């Protein structure tokens, strides 16, 4: 069954436009309470720093209480922190109010199960079905209560620190932290400072409107300049809800999620602590696949999206996976992608090896990648078109083992993403343009 309200990562949209309205979110809270709690238990609610969080926190609280669920309010808290506290506080579920790396006009609601993982499809479908039912308030003596968890931040800070090796510290490392004016702004500086790092912190002054605004993992220019100006060893950037991380080395070069995953993997392999292989996605850089192959590390690709990376990790009983965007999963440490925890694993590699971040990344050659969006006349199965099939086959034959081709239809509009990557930048650009030209000529809207 297709979902009516839920996307790949909860319910998301522009504030004030359906479904991101107070009325709908209240009904969503009630429906979730009915399905997840069946009239009892507690649910945690946390949020990032965008101004609309106040509205939706209140709406969810009202809906859940009407369904008979008790509510624990966490306040501003990174998404992975809510997943962690959902497990450790033995809640029925955790709810995050966030639109992740989007700007403040957007917001969203996503859920964690009692185990701190994304909800299964069948549970989301059950919540959607309940939303379409009439809201019936529980009897007055069965209504839920609400309270605020005052030590939520402290609990999560201690957890993050516990994922860093006890015999190591960050003394002697000068780090610039960019908290994206988001959910990590209070927590991340304390974690890294308490482990001994010398810190310069930016993006830690949220006003409700400046989340992800010219800062964080989607806007690295400020961090790059700050690292070089301060002469820091490296920079770390989180996104608005703290489930993604990217880094900058001392020269200001961006180290993306693929490269960070490579650093964690090869360090664990050297220390004989690597369990199994690594899960990437269809968009993972071919250079990482080849580098892991050379190191003898198994590698598989999942569909784009952290839930699909998680599925493959669980299927193979592996621990490490992620995406180039910086959503990195360390299943031996936590149950979901966690920017702070992933950053600490990379820093552990830096400290334990005595090498710089630049040096640790040097074993992986990131291949040039070209992405061209082609607008289609209509939504159609592009890969079933003979002309496109022939063009893809020709491109793959020309690139051979030096590169790869990926055609990805957009899930929301008649758009095809033509991606080509390989060892030679000129060849990659030419092949991508030729392939996009065939798609445009055959199926394009113009």
């Amino acid at each position: 069954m297709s979902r009516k309200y839920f996307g790949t990562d909860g319910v998301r949209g522009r504030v004030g436009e359906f479904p991101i309205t107070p009325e709908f979110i209240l009904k969503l809270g009630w429906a979730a309470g009915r399905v997840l709690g069946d009239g009892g238990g507690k649910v945690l609610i946390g949020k990032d720093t965008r101004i609309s969080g106040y509205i939706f926190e209140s709406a969810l609280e009202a809906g859940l209480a009407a369904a008979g669920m008790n509510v624990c309010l966490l306040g501003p808290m990174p998404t992975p922190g809510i997943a962690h506290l959902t497990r450790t506080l033995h809640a029925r579920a955790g709810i995050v109010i966030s639109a992740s790396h989007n700007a403040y006009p957007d917001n969203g609601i996503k859920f964690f199960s009692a185990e701190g993982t994304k909800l299964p499809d069948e549970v989301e479908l059950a919540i959607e079905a309940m939303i379409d039912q009439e809201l019936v308030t529980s009897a007055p003596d069965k209504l839920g209560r609400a309270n605020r968890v005052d030590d939520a931040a402290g609990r999560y800070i201690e957890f993050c620190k516990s994922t860093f090796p006890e015999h190591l510290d960050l003394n002697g490392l000068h780090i610039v932290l960019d908290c994206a004016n988001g959910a990590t702004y209070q927590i991340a500086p304390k974690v890294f400072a308490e482990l001994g790092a010398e810190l310069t912190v930016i993006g830690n002054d949220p006003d409700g409107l400046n989340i992800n605004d010219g800062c964080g993992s989607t806007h690295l220019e400020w961090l790059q300049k700050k690292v070089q100006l301060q002469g820091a060893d490296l920079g770390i950037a989180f996104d608005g809800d703290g489930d993604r991380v990217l880094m900058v080395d001392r020269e200001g070069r961006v180290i993306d999620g693929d490269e960070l995953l490579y650093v964690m993997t090869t360090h664990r392999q050297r220390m004989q602590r690597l369990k199994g292989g690594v899960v990437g996605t269809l968009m993972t850089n071919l250079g990482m696949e080849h580098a892991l192959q050379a190191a003898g590390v198994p590698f598989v690709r999942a569909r784009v999206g952290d839930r699909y990376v998680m599925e493959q990790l669980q299927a193979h009983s592996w621990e490490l996976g992620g995406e180039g965007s910086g959503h990195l999963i360390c299943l031996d440490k936590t149950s979901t992608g966690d920017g702070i925890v992933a950053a600490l694993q990379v820093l552990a590699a830096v400290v334990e090896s005595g090498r710089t971040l630049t040096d640790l990344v040097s074993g992986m050659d990131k291949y040039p990648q070209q992405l061209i969006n082609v607008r289609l006349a209509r939504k159609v199965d592009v890969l079933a078109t003979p002309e496109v099939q022939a063009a893809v086959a020709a491109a793959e034959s020309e690139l051979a083992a030096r590169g790869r081709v990926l055609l990805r239809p957009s899930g929301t509009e008649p758009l095809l993403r033509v991606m080509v990557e390989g060892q030679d930048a000129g060849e990659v650009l030419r092949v991508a343009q030729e392939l996009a030209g065939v798609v445009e000529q055959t199926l394009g809207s113009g």
Side-chain angles (χ1 to χ4, degrees):
M1 293 177 62
S2 60
R3 301 177 214 175
K4 188 174 179 181
Y5 306 115
F6 283 87
T8 57
D9 199 18
V11 181
R12 187 179 296 185
R14 193 170 183 87
V15 174
E17 298 177 4
F18 188 84
I20 308 302
T21 64
E23 299 90 343
F24 180 84
I25 300 304
L26 187 149
K27 189 72 176 292
L28 175 64
W30 173 81
R34 288 292 303 272
V35 171
L36 297 169
D38 193 25
K42 65 184 176 185
V43 174
L44 308 187
I45 300 177
K47 60 184 180 178
D48 64 23
T49 57
R50 63 195 76 216
I51 192 169
S52 58
Y54 294 101
I55 301 172
F56 301 123
E57 181 182 55
S58 298
L60 284 169
E61 178 188 337
L64 287 160
M69 297 292 289
N70 293 323
V71 178
C72 297
L73 301 172
L74 306 179
M77 173 69 59
T79 289
I82 297 161
H84 168 71
L85 291 172
T86 300
R87 294 197 320 272
T88 59
L89 293 177
H90 302 283
R92 292 287 184 91
I95 302 179
V96 183
I97 305 168
S98 176
S100 190
H101 55 281
N102 291 17
Y104 81 91
D106 290 344
N107 215 332
I109 309 294
K110 47 189 172 183
F111 293 82
F112 286 108
S113 70
E115 293 75 36
T117 58
K118 299 290 176 68
L119 292 182
D121 289 348
E122 60 268 22
V123 176
E124 290 185 345
L125 289 169
I127 293 173
E128 289 195 341
M130 186 62 68
I131 289 172
D132 293 334
Q133 303 299 312
E134 181 183 357
L135 191 156
V136 178
T137 302
S138 298
D141 62 333
K142 302 296 184 183
L143 294 173
R145 303 173 184 269
N147 71 285
R148 194 161 291 278
V149 182
D150 295 325
D151 63 346
R155 286 171 179 260
Y156 180 56
I157 288 167
E158 290 305 310
F159 163 71
C160 290
K161 288 161 53 182
S162 75
T163 68
F164 192 76
E166 289 185 2
H167 65 286
L168 301 178
D169 58 52
L170 299 179
N171 290 322
L173 273 183
H174 181 185
I175 299 171
V176 181
L177 282 185
D178 183 350
C179 298
N181 290 316
T184 62
Y185 83 102
Q186 292 177 306
I187 289 171
K190 291 180 181 178
V191 170
F192 293 94
E194 290 177 17
L195 288 171
E198 176 189 350
L199 293 183
T200 299
V201 185
I202 61 176
N204 64 327
D205 188 24
D207 62 10
L209 308 178
N210 61 0
I211 187 170
N212 301 312
D213 185 11
C215 57
S217 63
T218 50
H219 304 280
L220 293 166
E221 299 81 9
W222 188 15
L223 180 63
Q224 290 173 291
K225 291 177 182 176
K226 201 72 172 180
V227 167
Q228 293 178 293
L229 183 65
Q230 295 287 327
D233 294 293
L234 54 90
I236 301 173
F238 304 106
D239 67 339
D241 73 331
D243 64 356
R244 298 186 187 189
V245 62
L246 295 181
M247 290 191 181
V248 169
D249 69 12
R250 64 172 59 197
E251 286 79 34
R253 188 174 76 88
V254 174
I255 311 297
D256 70 10
D258 291 342
E259 293 167 303
L260 295 177
L261 188 54
Y262 170 80
V263 169
M264 287 192 288
T265 301
T266 51
H267 178 67
R268 290 188 181 201
Q269 184 187 44
R270 285 191 297 270
M271 304 303 293
Q272 298 184 332
R273 295 199 296 260
L274 180 64
K275 180 180 177 182
V278 173
V279 177
T281 74
L282 295 174
M283 297 302 291
T284 297
N285 193 275
L286 184 61
M288 188 180 91
E289 180 177 353
H290 285 178
L292 293 180
Q293 188 178 58
V297 177
F299 174 80
V300 298
R301 293 181 185 270
R303 292 166 59 190
V304 175
D306 62 289
R307 68 164 56 217
Y308 304 114
V309 173
M310 182 71 74
E311 286 176 0
Q312 288 295 322
L313 285 173
Q314 293 169 337
H316 289 83
S317 297
W318 293 349
E319 295 175 344
L320 296 180
E323 303 179 272
S325 62
H327 199 126
L328 306 176
I329 301 173
C330 308
L331 277 187
D332 60 322
K333 303 298 181 183
T334 189
S335 62
T336 190
D338 189 316
I340 295 176
V341 170
L344 289 174
Q345 308 318 299
V346 174
L347 293 180
V350 170
V351 174
E352 198 163 19
S353 69
R355 300 164 66 187
T356 65
L357 180 59
T358 308
D359 190 27
L360 290 172
V361 174
S362 63
M364 171 185 158
D365 291 325
K366 191 176 172 184
Y367 291 176
Q369 190 177 88
Q370 189 68 44
L371 180 66
I372 301 175
N373 290 326
V374 180
R375 186 159 293 278
L376 305 177
R378 64 191 186 283
K379 295 190 77 170
V380 63
D381 184 0
V382 176
L383 297 178
T385 306
E387 295 88 344
V388 175
Q389 286 180 333
V392 169
E396 290 176 336
S397 176
E398 180 177 351
L399 291 169
R402 301 187 311 279
R404 68 187 184 104
V405 174
L406 177 66
L407 272 58
R408 285 185 61 225
S410 167
T412 58
E413 55 184 328
L415 196 71
L416 183 75
R417 309 187 199 286
V418 177
M419 191 276 286
V420 177
E421 65 178 353
Q423 296 172 334
D424 183 273
E427 182 180 43
V428 165
L429 176 61
R430 178 179 54 77
V431 171
Q433 290 175 334
E434 290 175 356
L435 186 53
V438 172
V439 175
E440 174 69 35
Q441 185 176 5
T442 307
L443 300 165
S445 61

